[in-house]
Amino acid sequence: MKINSLKAEIKKGGGAKALAREHSRGKFSARERIQLLADEGTFAEWGIFAGYGQYEAEGGCPAGGVITGIARIAGRLCMVVANDATVKAGAWFPITAKKNLRAQEIAIENHLPIIYLVDSAGVFLPMQEDIFPDKEHFGRVFRNNAKMSSLGIPQIAAIMGSCVAGGAYLPIMSDEALIVDGTGSVFLAGPFLVKAAIGEQTDNENLGGATTHSQISGVTDHKMPDETTCLNTIRKIVSHFGNKPTAGFAKTERKDPKVSLTTLPNILPQNPVQPYDMQAIIDGLIDEDSWTPYKANYGKSLLCGYARIEGWSVGIVANQRKITRSGKGEMQVGGVIYSDSADKAARFIMNCNQKRIPLVFLQDVTGFMVGSRAEQGGIIKDGAKMVNAVANSVVPKFTIVIGNSYGAGNYAMCGRAYDPRLMLAWPSAKIAVMGGTQAAKTLLQIQVAKAEKNGILLGEAEKQALLDEITAKYEAKADITYAASRLWVDEIILPEETRAWLVLGIDMANHNPHIPAFSPGIIQT
């Protein structure tokens, strides 16, 4: 499959030559370090496509130059962040900062301990203006370090390579810092800058090596003879963590799904505009016989209901893609949110918040219904109710983009702007303000009108050529790899992996016992 082959290529990082260089220095690669650190088979990597197709002029930045994922370490669920020194010596690109901030956000939301495996040359200077000064740039990472400490979320940092300038604050603002002798170093200014600034001649080891910071400055807490010992020591430290209260989400004995997960891709039609029954997708994700539909015969373009996934209680909101008939005898187009559906979903979301049930959104949405009849029926008012319900929801939310994710439908179905704990996408997903055909025809009309205003009349062949060009550009940007490159979704996953990811998400969300009271805003008006 294309997605798997792309992932395999990205995981090569800076390539075989760069990896050999790290090995020659007695260092492991970022993924090798994680393999030694995590309990076997528990590492779930996300953000693999970060930076994909970007920074080509700079030689690329595979996986954003940093590996992130969720793993069990000595049985404890943790967030892991590891700089990839094979990619520009682990330097920070704009997407690197965004990916680090997303990792910290997940850790904060779910009260997960976070482990940093630091090996970075610092900010990629040619792009410093896009990394350094703004609210969501590099400095936000250190602000989050401080916030997590105040929240009691453990942070452990291992200095396993270079750690320079502002990047030096990340490990030292963590709660506990280890440093590997001979390869690890941490300082605000390197030897060349020290020489230029104050004329002092020094080297990495004397300036900020393991001996300096473990025996003289006291900056680090543990001096490690090698990387293996360092990673094993982190495992020992984590094993001493005490247990904390959980959110207490309901869980019973698990059951297998009614439909095999391997058949899920076959349910989707090859043509994304063709209808299909979303209930069949749901049946492949939830425990058999656990589906309790909510208002089954009302607002049929949205499926809402209670279910269980590996025993965990969830509420599901899903776009129904098959053509349905409303209670008024009207045909409803699949994938479109109508007034009655929006009202139904808003009330269901309120119910789940009242009952402390996590929410799962399954997106294949082309938007809200348009036209004079819909407007006169109050689609904006009912759509606002649903958006308010999603925005004010306090229980954990998880979003899976199965197919289309267009326009305001993206918002109402808990897109990135509405804080899902995890937002994942199938290879079939597309994210855009509207469908490619509609967008291209709209843009074509604008361009034709502009040409005619300037006295230029386009022939049918010229219009078709322009339409094809616009469509190709639009479709390229709607492709899910474009979205994943910019971290609009956390990861592209295969359909058969969805259930496992949702279980992981609910498990990690259960680590945060603090769920604020639900305030419905304007939903009840």
Side-chain angles (χ1 to χ4, degrees), residues 274-392:
Q274 288 183 344
Y276 64 91
D277 189 357
M278 178 63 81
Q279 186 65 56
I281 298 286
I282 293 173
D283 289 343
L285 296 178
I286 67 173
D287 295 3
E288 187 172 6
D289 296 329
S290 69
W291 179 247
T292 303
Y294 176 79
K295 291 184 181 289
N297 297 313
Y298 179 76
K300 292 185 177 181
S301 70
L302 279 176
L303 297 173
C304 299
Y306 306 104
R308 292 191 180 275
I309 299 177
E310 292 282 336
W312 288 106
S313 173
V314 296
I316 293 177
V317 181
N319 300 110
Q320 176 57 287
R321 283 302 310 270
K322 74 176 183 179
I323 306 299
T324 60
R325 189 175 293 277
S326 73
K328 301 174 183 178
E330 301 165 343
M331 296 303 292
Q332 296 192 337
V333 180
V336 177
I337 301 176
Y338 292 78
S339 287
D340 54 357
S341 302
D343 179 71
K344 163 182 162 178
R347 295 175 185 276
F348 178 70
I349 291 166
M350 290 174 63
N351 286 349
C352 288
N353 274 268
Q354 182 188 51
K355 299 175 177 68
R356 293 171 66 96
I357 300 172
L359 284 158
V360 175
F361 293 83
L362 302 179
Q363 284 195 10
D364 194 347
V365 57
T366 53
F368 285 91
M369 189 60 188
V370 297
S372 59
R373 186 171 183 175
E375 297 292 358
Q376 291 167 13
I379 185 65
I380 295 176
K381 173 174 61 71
D382 290 319
K385 289 181 183 179
M386 184 176 176
V387 171
N388 264 271
V390 176
N392 286 300

Side-chain angles (χ1 to χ4, degrees), residues 1 259-271 274-278 280-281 284 402 426-428 494-496:
M1 179 172 280
V259 176
S260 172
L261 291 175
T262 57
T263 67
L264 290 184
N266 301 327
I267 298 171
L268 291 175
Q270 292 295 316
N271 186 341
Q274 288 183 344
Y276 64 91
D277 189 357
M278 178 63 81
I281 298 286
I402 291 173
W426 288 8
S428 50
L494 300 181
E496 57 266 32

Side-chain angles (χ1 to χ4, degrees), residues 499-514:
R499 185 170 152 103
W501 272 98
L502 287 172
V503 170
L504 174 63
I506 300 167
D507 189 6
M508 73 180 189
N510 198 45
H511 281 66
N512 185 352
H514 307 295

Side-chain angles (χ1 to χ4, degrees), residues 355-498:
K355 299 175 177 68
R356 293 171 66 96
I357 300 172
L359 284 158
V360 175
F361 293 83
L362 302 179
Q363 284 195 10
D364 194 347
V365 57
T366 53
F368 285 91
M369 189 60 188
V370 297
S372 59
R373 186 171 183 175
E375 297 292 358
Q376 291 167 13
I379 185 65
I380 295 176
K381 173 174 61 71
D382 290 319
K385 289 181 183 179
M386 184 176 176
V387 171
N388 264 271
V390 176
N392 286 300
S393 177
V394 295
V395 295
K397 305 185 291 283
F398 305 93
T399 301
I400 310 296
V401 187
I402 291 173
N404 303 316
S405 180
Y406 293 158
N410 171 281
Y411 304 153
M413 291 295 293
C414 197
R416 175 61 97 202
Y418 290 79
D419 301 319
R421 297 289 179 98
L422 286 174
M423 185 164 178
L424 307 163
W426 288 8
S428 50
K430 291 182 182 293
I431 297 179
V433 73
M434 65 178 72
T437 302
Q438 299 95 317
K441 288 180 179 179
T442 302
L443 292 169
L444 177 65
Q445 290 178 49
I446 294 171
Q447 298 227 24
V448 170
K450 184 178 179 181
E452 290 176 349
K453 186 177 180 180
N454 294 325
I456 302 171
L457 296 178
L458 299 178
E460 290 304 315
E462 291 173 303
K463 289 180 182 179
Q464 186 60 50
L466 187 56
L467 179 64
D468 292 342
E469 180 184 352
I470 294 171
T471 302
K473 288 181 179 179
Y474 197 88
E475 289 292 345
K477 290 186 177 181
D479 187 89
I480 196 57
T481 57
Y482 188 92
S485 171
R486 288 152 182 82
L487 289 178
W488 299 346
V489 297
D490 293 312
E491 189 55 60
I492 304 173
I493 63 171
L494 300 181
E496 57 266 32
E497 298 170 335
T498 308

